[in-house]
Amino acid sequence: MVGRRRRVFNVSEAIEFLNQLLVDNPLLPFLIPVVLVVWAVERWIFSLSNWVPLVVAVWATIQYGSYKRRILVEDLNKKWKQVIVNKSPITPIEHCEWLNKLLMEIWPNYLNPKLSLRFSSIVEKRLKHRKSGLIEKIELQGFSLGSSPPVLGLHGTQWSATGDQKIMRLGFDWDTTDLSIMLLAKLAKPLLGTARIVINSLHIKGDLLLMPILDGRAFLYSFISPPEVRIGVAFGSGGSQSLPATELPGVSSWLVKLFTDTLVRTMVEPRRRCYSLPAVDLRKKAVGGVIYVTVISASKLSRSSLKGSPLRRQQSCSIDGISEEHLDDKYLQTFVEVELGELTRRTDVRVGSSPRWDSLFNMILHEDTGTLRFQLYESTPSNVKYDYLASCEIKMKYVADDSTAFWAIGSESSVIAKHAEFCGKEVEMVVPFEGANSGELMVRLVVKEWQFTDGSHSSNNFRVSPQQSLYGSSNFASGTGRKINITVVEGKDLIANKSGRCDPYVKLQYGKVPQRTRTVPHCSSPTWNQKFEFDEIGGGEYLKIKCFNEETFGDDNIGNARVSLEGLVEGSIRDVWVPLEKVNTGELRLLLEVVANAGSGNGWVELVLVEARDLIAADLRGTSDPYVRVQYGSLKKRTKVMFKTLNPQWNQTLEFPDDGSPLELHVKDHNALLPTSSIGDCVVEYQRLPPNQMADKWIPLQGVKRGEIHVQITRKIPEIQRRPSLESEPSSLIKAHQVSSQMKQMMNKLETQIEDGNLEGLSAVVSELESLQDTQEEYMVQLETEQMLLLNKITELGQEFFNSPPSLRRRSSHD
């Protein structure tokens, strides 16, 4: 027995020695046997010409053995890390039937509406950017997750720890057939037409990780790996008709890929989403925010670890005893590009493995959550292309107790989380770049303010607006005809062209209404101070901004931006600096103000165009033939032409029904044969005038070097001051007929002037014809206004009659 034990011990010792020999000399174990086998085979079996199959077999055996050995090493390392590094064993499996029972109770009336609303907005955004090849356009028509919730922890839950970070792992299995997601698709060629796509079943299966952070105020959640996804699709032309999904090839697989890619980009390790658990829910919905981002410095940057490939490093040599690889790190020139949505900014270039930038950027967020991405680039003077080195990201989210949560991925997939209890508080974070030993980045984050749908905004501390309730209910209904005044004040650090010249102007678009500022020549920080008025649009419509550099052969786009106009409160002005997107520099300052629409529907606007002075000369003889084209909403009118003068006097009265539309004046130079030329524009503000009080204004003309126009504007209200009776003057209808007869006479006169070849007389007749046509339109509009006033008065009298006591109604009927 003793001898046998000794032999076993000797055999184990020999095996251990051979294993150590394998590690030190991996080629030794098969080198000697291969030589012996080659000699034996050559001598007694067959010649070397028949060795090819044998060599292939030996090579395959070696590769398989290497593969199995690598799998064994990875498994051992994983177990070692779990036991030694985590310093905490995994807890036993805990069954959680109670969790699924609770989920069944709260899913139909609470979680389903909230998650359906949240996911529908995400899906809608993804559909705009990702379309199948057979689909030209697709839109979401309905979204409901149904009444069947997912099953959590079907096989139990387990807790583990990484350092101080607790992690819960549980299964996620959602197999439902009662959800309803409806899409309307416009098919591309050759399948022209429209089709309805209905997603009627969904199966998602995977493993979830839940990580509590910020002392229990929030938790992060993600899938360990991409989950298994199956989607059931029906395809039809609408109504009850539906066809199998195979009738539209590729749609089902496209939706599965779209859904899986969305999950991978947002909540598959190491991407994590956050759910906050506020102590006090103030019931405020954030629609945007202003964030100050300071890129402070980076450390531990190494060319070898950042670029990852030894082929990109130069041969190591020695210069004064220092390797060239270290010289590369010492003279590494890098900059950081900061990205938030469509907005990008970049730092200056700094040298060294621990560069310091201290670059502050004003960033705009258009939602209540966002991702700040920091991308590190190398700038080589001899290379025209920037080399991408590494990246990292920080996510942020507005918490319903008026605070802000920040989180990022730390080393070895740990969690870095910070919390700002109020706006204005600085948060510093050191975030490692993705990849092993790729260095780390230090940033400082300050949320200047959050903006809410109820019109309030948080700054250094939370204050409730006196017009708003604590729960954020608005004191106005969205889309009720209010006006939004937008003043483009100034710009800063706008991009110049290649020759260093910058002639900027700004285009605004809100809904379908475009506006444009004047061009400021030779200035990268221009001042406009131009005010524009728009009708408020409900549904979260953005103000779209485009900044251009005026060029001779096509203007250059030097930045875009979009601004949320939700939450504006009457009587207050919001002063914002908006950074331009898709460029490295440039900001615009805007003043945003909302005013109530003063249009009553029962009155009219009386505009008296008195005169103008100091107009520019549009003719070669140094004079102009000015007239005014007035545009009020969709209505257009014009004054008579005043020939050969720079100081015309019209003294002409125009009237419009008061519906709150913008009142625009376009002063033009009349030409009989050539197109008219503009000699100035302006907007007349009248919406906030007191009723029946005339305002006398001299308004400077825009778009020209000089010129002013004198107007008198009055908002007439018939309940206070009635219009002159129809008996005191000829009716508008009679005047319109009189003008028609005058136009016929002018047509005959026009034919006579054409036959005589009198150009001056022809020009005068054409001008009189245009003036008569505008006068006729004026009388027709006046007639429509009088008809509208009469109908309104009849309606009011009828309402008073039906609201009166029955006795008075009987007495009036007897009378």
Side-chain angles (χ1 to χ4, degrees), residues 38 79 86 101 155 167 196 370 623 631 671 706 814:
V38 169
K79 292 180 179 179
N86 291 345
K101 290 181 180 179
H155 302 292
I167 300 174
R196 187 185 66 171
T623 61
Q631 181 162 351
N671 287 298
R706 64 177 187 272
H814 289 307

Side-chain angles (χ1 to χ4, degrees), residues 402-421:
D402 208 41
S403 61
T404 309
F406 302 91
W407 72 96
I409 302 167
S411 58
E412 298 180 351
S413 295
S414 61
V415 176
I416 302 173
K418 294 292 183 71
H419 186 255
E421 293 84 0

Side-chain angles (χ1 to χ4, degrees), residues 608-677:
V608 181
L609 294 161
V610 183
E611 57 182 327
R613 66 187 178 194
D614 199 21
L615 299 180
I616 64 172
D619 298 335
L620 295 177
R621 58 183 179 269
T623 61
S624 296
D625 301 327
Y627 69 94
V628 181
R629 170 72 70 178
V630 183
Q631 181 162 351
Y632 182 81
S634 59
L635 299 177
K636 294 182 180 180
K637 297 184 180 183
R638 55 170 290 176
T639 66
K640 55 191 175 183
V641 179
M642 306 303 294
F643 292 97
K644 300 180 181 179
T645 178
L646 300 181
N647 300 288
Q649 294 184 352
W650 296 285
N651 291 312
Q652 192 165 342
T653 302
L654 304 176
E655 293 182 347
F656 305 92
D658 188 2
D659 60 5
S661 298
L663 182 57
E664 302 174 4
L665 307 184
H666 303 276
V667 185
K668 296 182 176 294
D669 175 62
H670 172 76
N671 287 298
L673 302 177
L674 299 176
T676 59
S677 58

Side-chain angles (χ1 to χ4, degrees), residues 55-67:
V55 171
V56 173
V58 171
W59 178 81
T61 304
I62 295 172
Q63 294 299 320
Y64 180 73
S66 176
Y67 167 75

Side-chain angles (χ1 to χ4, degrees), residues 75-299:
D75 186 56
L76 290 174
N77 287 337
K78 183 177 180 180
K79 292 180 179 179
W80 175 263
K81 180 180 177 181
Q82 181 178 347
V83 175
I84 301 301
V85 179
N86 291 345
K87 301 178 183 179
S88 174
I90 296 178
T91 62
I93 294 178
E94 301 174 7
H95 297 285
C96 53
E97 291 86 355
W98 63 271
L99 180 59
N100 291 297
K101 290 181 180 179
L102 176 63
L103 197 59
M104 287 288 294
E105 294 294 328
I106 65 176
W107 178 268
N109 298 322
Y110 182 74
L111 287 181
N112 178 29
K114 284 185 171 294
L115 292 178
S116 296
L117 183 63
R118 176 61 179 166
F119 288 156
S120 64
S121 62
I122 296 175
V123 170
E124 205 163 15
K125 291 178 182 177
R126 295 286 291 170
L127 288 175
K128 291 181 180 179
H129 301 288
R130 300 283 298 276
K131 295 193 293 291
S132 173
L134 296 175
I135 297 176
E136 180 180 335
K137 183 180 180 182
I138 188 168
E139 63 179 18
L140 183 66
Q141 287 194 319
F143 194 100
S144 175
L145 296 177
S147 59
S148 299
V151 178
L152 301 178
L154 187 62
H155 302 292
T157 63
Q158 286 182 316
W159 284 91
S160 62
T162 301
D164 296 332
Q165 178 64 51
K166 303 294 183 181
I167 300 174
M168 184 174 75
R169 175 173 177 168
L170 72 162
F172 180 92
D173 193 349
W174 193 12
D175 194 354
T176 177
T177 57
D178 64 345
L179 81 167
S180 177
I181 303 175
M182 289 183 290
L183 308 171
L184 183 63
K186 182 179 180 182
L187 304 181
K189 294 180 181 180
L191 304 174
L192 295 178
T194 59
R196 187 185 66 171
I197 302 172
V198 180
I199 300 176
N200 50 28
S201 66
L202 178 66
H203 183 206
I204 307 174
K205 186 176 182 180
D207 291 325
L208 279 177
L209 293 180
L210 302 181
M211 291 154 276
I213 60 172
L214 302 175
D215 299 327
R217 285 192 289 262
F219 66 87
L220 305 181
Y221 59 95
S222 62
F223 282 101
I224 298 177
S225 59
E228 176 188 349
V229 177
R230 294 198 305 271
I231 296 177
V233 180
F235 163 72
S237 60
S240 60
Q241 179 184 2
S242 63
L243 301 174
T246 54
E247 296 294 332
L248 193 60
V251 169
S252 181
S253 59
W254 164 66
L255 288 173
V256 170
K257 185 177 186 305
L258 178 66
F259 193 85
T260 306
D261 289 347
T262 302
L263 289 178
V264 171
R265 291 168 64 92
T266 57
M267 54 178 297
V268 172
E269 280 290 306
R271 314 296 182 193
R272 300 162 184 167
R273 300 190 70 88
C274 177
Y275 187 82
S276 56
L277 302 169
V280 178
D281 188 353
L282 299 178
R283 301 181 183 273
K284 298 172 72 67
K285 178 176 175 55
V287 296
V290 180
I291 300 95
Y292 287 169
V293 181
T294 305
V295 181
I296 302 175
S297 62
S299 59

